[in-house]
Short mmCIF file of all heavy atoms in Angstrom, two decimals:
data_model
loop_
_atom_site.label_atom_id
_atom_site.label_comp_id
_atom_site.label_asym_id
_atom_site.label_seq_id
_atom_site.Cartn_x
_atom_site.Cartn_y
_atom_site.Cartn_z
N GLU A 121 0.48 19.27 24.89
CA GLU A 121 -0.15 19.54 23.59
C GLU A 121 0.55 18.67 22.54
O GLU A 121 1.73 18.35 22.70
CB GLU A 121 -0.02 21.02 23.22
CG GLU A 121 1.36 21.41 22.76
CD GLU A 121 1.92 22.66 23.43
OE1 GLU A 121 1.47 23.01 24.52
OE2 GLU A 121 2.82 23.26 22.84
N PRO A 122 -0.16 18.28 21.48
CA PRO A 122 0.48 17.48 20.43
C PRO A 122 1.60 18.27 19.75
O PRO A 122 1.49 19.47 19.57
CB PRO A 122 -0.65 17.21 19.43
CG PRO A 122 -1.91 17.47 20.16
CD PRO A 122 -1.59 18.49 21.20
N GLN A 123 2.67 17.59 19.43
CA GLN A 123 3.76 18.25 18.69
C GLN A 123 4.17 17.33 17.54
O GLN A 123 4.59 16.20 17.75
CB GLN A 123 4.94 18.52 19.61
CG GLN A 123 5.83 19.64 19.08
CD GLN A 123 6.97 19.94 20.02
OE1 GLN A 123 7.26 19.19 20.94
NE2 GLN A 123 7.66 21.03 19.77
N THR A 124 4.00 17.84 16.33
CA THR A 124 4.28 17.03 15.15
C THR A 124 5.41 17.66 14.35
O THR A 124 5.82 18.78 14.62
CB THR A 124 3.03 16.97 14.24
OG1 THR A 124 2.63 18.31 13.97
CG2 THR A 124 1.90 16.24 14.90
N ASN A 125 5.90 16.93 13.37
CA ASN A 125 6.85 17.50 12.41
C ASN A 125 6.51 16.87 11.07
O ASN A 125 6.73 15.68 10.87
CB ASN A 125 8.28 17.18 12.82
CG ASN A 125 9.32 18.06 12.16
OD1 ASN A 125 10.51 17.84 12.33
ND2 ASN A 125 8.92 19.06 11.39
N GLU A 126 5.91 17.65 10.17
CA GLU A 126 5.39 17.12 8.92
C GLU A 126 6.44 17.25 7.81
O GLU A 126 6.72 18.34 7.33
CB GLU A 126 4.11 17.86 8.56
CG GLU A 126 3.40 17.31 7.37
CD GLU A 126 3.10 15.83 7.48
OE1 GLU A 126 2.51 15.40 8.48
OE2 GLU A 126 3.50 15.09 6.56
N VAL A 127 7.00 16.10 7.41
CA VAL A 127 8.13 16.11 6.48
C VAL A 127 7.74 16.59 5.08
O VAL A 127 8.53 17.26 4.41
CB VAL A 127 8.75 14.69 6.41
CG1 VAL A 127 9.90 14.65 5.43
CG2 VAL A 127 9.19 14.25 7.79
N ARG A 129 6.04 18.91 4.22
CA ARG A 129 6.08 20.38 4.03
C ARG A 129 7.36 20.79 3.31
O ARG A 129 7.42 21.87 2.71
CB ARG A 129 5.94 21.09 5.38
CG ARG A 129 4.57 20.90 5.95
CD ARG A 129 4.25 21.76 7.15
NE ARG A 129 2.92 21.40 7.62
CZ ARG A 129 2.60 21.14 8.88
NH1 ARG A 129 3.51 21.25 9.84
NH2 ARG A 129 1.36 20.80 9.22
N LEU A 133 8.39 23.91 0.76
CA LEU A 133 9.48 24.86 1.06
C LEU A 133 10.57 24.82 -0.01
O LEU A 133 11.15 25.84 -0.36
CB LEU A 133 10.08 24.53 2.44
CG LEU A 133 9.14 24.75 3.63
CD1 LEU A 133 9.67 24.06 4.88
CD2 LEU A 133 8.96 26.25 3.89
N GLU A 152 15.94 27.69 10.55
CA GLU A 152 14.53 27.35 10.75
C GLU A 152 14.09 27.69 12.17
O GLU A 152 14.75 27.30 13.14
CB GLU A 152 14.28 25.85 10.48
CG GLU A 152 12.79 25.54 10.61
CD GLU A 152 12.38 24.11 10.29
OE1 GLU A 152 13.26 23.22 10.25
OE2 GLU A 152 11.18 23.88 10.07
N ILE A 153 12.95 28.37 12.29
CA ILE A 153 12.39 28.65 13.62
C ILE A 153 11.09 27.86 13.80
O ILE A 153 10.37 27.62 12.83
CB ILE A 153 12.17 30.17 13.83
CG1 ILE A 153 11.44 30.80 12.64
CG2 ILE A 153 13.48 30.88 14.08
CD1 ILE A 153 11.23 32.31 12.78
N GLY A 154 10.83 27.41 15.04
CA GLY A 154 9.67 26.54 15.29
C GLY A 154 9.84 25.22 14.58
O GLY A 154 8.92 24.70 13.95
N ALA A 155 11.04 24.64 14.70
CA ALA A 155 11.43 23.49 13.87
C ALA A 155 10.93 22.15 14.40
O ALA A 155 11.07 21.14 13.70
CB ALA A 155 12.95 23.45 13.73
N SER A 156 10.42 22.09 15.63
CA SER A 156 9.97 20.83 16.22
C SER A 156 11.16 19.85 16.31
O SER A 156 12.12 20.11 17.03
CB SER A 156 8.79 20.26 15.43
OG SER A 156 8.29 19.12 16.02
N ALA A 157 11.14 18.76 15.55
CA ALA A 157 12.28 17.82 15.57
C ALA A 157 13.35 18.22 14.55
O ALA A 157 14.40 17.56 14.46
CB ALA A 157 11.79 16.41 15.29
N ASN A 160 12.70 19.17 8.66
CA ASN A 160 12.66 19.90 7.39
C ASN A 160 13.94 20.68 7.10
O ASN A 160 14.07 21.26 6.02
CB ASN A 160 11.42 20.81 7.34
CG ASN A 160 10.15 19.98 7.17
OD1 ASN A 160 10.17 18.96 6.48
ND2 ASN A 160 9.07 20.39 7.80
N CYS A 208 15.86 26.21 15.57
CA CYS A 208 15.50 26.35 16.99
C CYS A 208 14.02 26.02 17.18
O CYS A 208 13.23 26.04 16.23
CB CYS A 208 15.79 27.76 17.50
SG CYS A 208 14.47 28.94 17.18
N ASP A 209 13.70 25.68 18.41
CA ASP A 209 12.30 25.51 18.83
C ASP A 209 12.27 25.82 20.33
O ASP A 209 13.25 25.55 21.03
CB ASP A 209 11.81 24.08 18.58
CG ASP A 209 10.29 23.98 18.63
OD1 ASP A 209 9.73 24.02 19.75
OD2 ASP A 209 9.65 23.87 17.56
N ARG A 210 11.15 26.37 20.79
CA ARG A 210 11.11 26.64 22.24
C ARG A 210 11.03 25.32 23.01
O ARG A 210 11.38 25.25 24.18
CB ARG A 210 9.96 27.58 22.58
CG ARG A 210 8.60 26.97 22.42
CD ARG A 210 7.52 27.92 22.89
NE ARG A 210 6.23 27.38 22.46
CZ ARG A 210 5.11 28.07 22.36
NH1 ARG A 210 5.10 29.34 22.67
NH2 ARG A 210 4.00 27.51 21.97
N LYS A 211 10.58 24.26 22.34
CA LYS A 211 10.49 22.94 22.97
C LYS A 211 10.87 21.90 21.92
O LYS A 211 10.01 21.22 21.36
CB LYS A 211 9.05 22.71 23.45
CG LYS A 211 8.93 22.00 24.76
CD LYS A 211 7.48 21.98 25.22
CE LYS A 211 6.74 20.82 24.62
NZ LYS A 211 5.31 20.79 24.90
N PRO A 212 12.17 21.75 21.63
CA PRO A 212 12.56 20.81 20.55
C PRO A 212 12.16 19.38 20.88
O PRO A 212 12.17 18.98 22.05
CB PRO A 212 14.09 20.92 20.50
CG PRO A 212 14.46 22.11 21.30
CD PRO A 212 13.35 22.35 22.27
N VAL A 213 11.84 18.61 19.84
CA VAL A 213 11.63 17.17 20.01
C VAL A 213 12.98 16.52 19.74
O VAL A 213 13.55 16.67 18.66
CB VAL A 213 10.59 16.65 18.99
CG1 VAL A 213 10.46 15.13 19.11
CG2 VAL A 213 9.24 17.33 19.21
N GLU A 256 15.46 27.41 22.13
CA GLU A 256 15.46 28.86 22.35
C GLU A 256 14.22 29.46 21.70
O GLU A 256 13.69 28.92 20.72
CB GLU A 256 16.73 29.49 21.75
CG GLU A 256 16.91 30.95 22.15
CD GLU A 256 18.25 31.54 21.71
OE1 GLU A 256 19.24 30.79 21.58
OE2 GLU A 256 18.29 32.77 21.51
N ASP A 257 13.80 30.59 22.23
CA ASP A 257 12.68 31.29 21.61
C ASP A 257 13.10 31.84 20.24
O ASP A 257 14.23 32.30 20.06
CB ASP A 257 12.21 32.43 22.51
CG ASP A 257 10.95 33.07 21.96
OD1 ASP A 257 9.88 32.50 22.20
OD2 ASP A 257 11.06 34.10 21.27
N ALA A 258 12.15 31.81 19.30
CA ALA A 258 12.46 32.20 17.92
C ALA A 258 12.95 33.64 17.80
O ALA A 258 13.80 33.94 16.96
CB ALA A 258 11.21 32.02 17.06
N VAL A 259 12.45 34.53 18.64
CA VAL A 259 12.77 35.95 18.47
C VAL A 259 14.25 36.20 18.76
O VAL A 259 14.99 36.76 17.93
CB VAL A 259 11.87 36.84 19.36
CG1 VAL A 259 12.24 38.30 19.19
CG2 VAL A 259 10.40 36.60 19.03
N HIS A 278 10.06 29.15 8.15
CA HIS A 278 9.21 28.44 9.12
C HIS A 278 7.96 27.91 8.44
O HIS A 278 7.56 28.39 7.37
CB HIS A 278 8.83 29.35 10.30
CG HIS A 278 8.24 30.68 9.96
ND1 HIS A 278 6.91 30.88 9.72
CD2 HIS A 278 8.83 31.90 9.82
CE1 HIS A 278 6.68 32.16 9.47
NE2 HIS A 278 7.84 32.81 9.51
N SER A 279 7.35 26.89 9.07
CA SER A 279 6.09 26.35 8.57
C SER A 279 5.19 26.06 9.76
O SER A 279 5.64 25.47 10.76
CB SER A 279 6.33 25.08 7.73
OG SER A 279 7.04 24.11 8.44
N VAL A 280 3.93 26.47 9.63
CA VAL A 280 2.89 26.23 10.63
C VAL A 280 3.41 26.54 12.04
O VAL A 280 3.38 25.69 12.94
CB VAL A 280 2.35 24.79 10.51
CG1 VAL A 280 1.00 24.65 11.23
CG2 VAL A 280 2.15 24.42 9.05
N PHE A 281 3.87 27.73 12.21
CA PHE A 281 4.52 28.16 13.44
C PHE A 281 3.97 29.49 13.92
O PHE A 281 3.77 29.70 15.12
CB PHE A 281 6.04 28.23 13.16
CG PHE A 281 6.77 29.29 13.92
CD1 PHE A 281 7.13 29.10 15.24
CD2 PHE A 281 7.11 30.49 13.31
CE1 PHE A 281 7.79 30.09 15.95
CE2 PHE A 281 7.78 31.47 14.00
CZ PHE A 281 8.12 31.28 15.33
N TYR A 284 1.29 30.07 16.63
CA TYR A 284 1.56 29.64 18.00
C TYR A 284 2.24 30.73 18.83
O TYR A 284 2.44 30.58 20.02
CB TYR A 284 2.41 28.36 18.02
CG TYR A 284 1.67 27.21 17.39
CD1 TYR A 284 1.91 26.83 16.08
CD2 TYR A 284 0.68 26.54 18.10
CE1 TYR A 284 1.20 25.80 15.49
CE2 TYR A 284 -0.04 25.51 17.52
CZ TYR A 284 0.23 25.14 16.21
OH TYR A 284 -0.50 24.14 15.63
N MET A 285 2.60 31.84 18.18
CA MET A 285 3.27 32.91 18.92
C MET A 285 2.25 33.95 19.35
O MET A 285 1.31 34.24 18.62
CB MET A 285 4.31 33.57 18.02
CG MET A 285 5.48 32.67 17.77
SD MET A 285 6.92 33.68 17.53
CE MET A 285 6.36 34.70 16.22
N ARG A 286 2.51 34.55 20.52
CA ARG A 286 1.65 35.64 20.99
C ARG A 286 1.85 36.85 20.08
O ARG A 286 2.90 36.98 19.41
CB ARG A 286 2.01 36.01 22.42
CG ARG A 286 1.69 34.93 23.45
CD ARG A 286 1.66 35.55 24.85
NE ARG A 286 2.69 36.59 24.97
CZ ARG A 286 3.80 36.47 25.72
NH1 ARG A 286 4.01 35.36 26.40
NH2 ARG A 286 4.67 37.45 25.79
N SER A 289 5.13 38.69 20.48
CA SER A 289 6.27 37.97 19.89
C SER A 289 6.27 38.09 18.37
O SER A 289 7.33 38.23 17.74
CB SER A 289 6.23 36.49 20.26
OG SER A 289 6.42 36.33 21.63
C1 SAM B 1 2.89 22.89 14.58
S1 SAM B 1 4.59 22.79 15.02
C2 SAM B 1 5.32 22.88 13.40
C3 SAM B 1 6.64 22.20 13.36
C4 SAM B 1 7.33 22.21 11.99
N1 SAM B 1 7.67 23.56 11.60
C5 SAM B 1 6.49 21.55 10.91
O1 SAM B 1 6.02 22.25 10.00
O2 SAM B 1 6.30 20.33 10.97
C6 SAM B 1 4.96 24.41 15.69
C7 SAM B 1 6.26 24.46 16.46
O3 SAM B 1 6.53 25.82 16.82
C8 SAM B 1 7.18 25.82 18.09
N2 SAM B 1 7.07 27.19 18.66
C9 SAM B 1 5.94 27.85 18.97
N3 SAM B 1 6.25 29.08 19.45
C10 SAM B 1 7.59 29.20 19.43
C11 SAM B 1 8.52 30.24 19.77
N4 SAM B 1 8.09 31.40 20.26
N5 SAM B 1 9.84 30.02 19.57
C12 SAM B 1 10.27 28.84 19.06
N6 SAM B 1 9.45 27.81 18.74
C13 SAM B 1 8.13 27.99 18.91
C14 SAM B 1 6.43 24.74 18.85
O4 SAM B 1 7.18 24.28 19.96
C15 SAM B 1 6.25 23.68 17.75
O5 SAM B 1 7.32 22.76 17.74
#
Side-chain angles (χ1 to χ4, degrees):
E121 75 228 23
Q123 203 178 13
T124 55
N125 198 185
E126 186 55 52
V127 178
R129 292 191 183 131
L133 294 165
E152 184 176 17
I153 48 182
S156 184
N160 288 325
C208 85
D209 196 285
R210 70 175 169 199
K211 218 173 85 186
V213 176
E256 190 173 332
D257 187 81
V259 179
H278 52 86
S279 56
V280 197
F281 148 79
Y284 296 99
M285 290 210 304
R286 293 198 323 250
S289 294

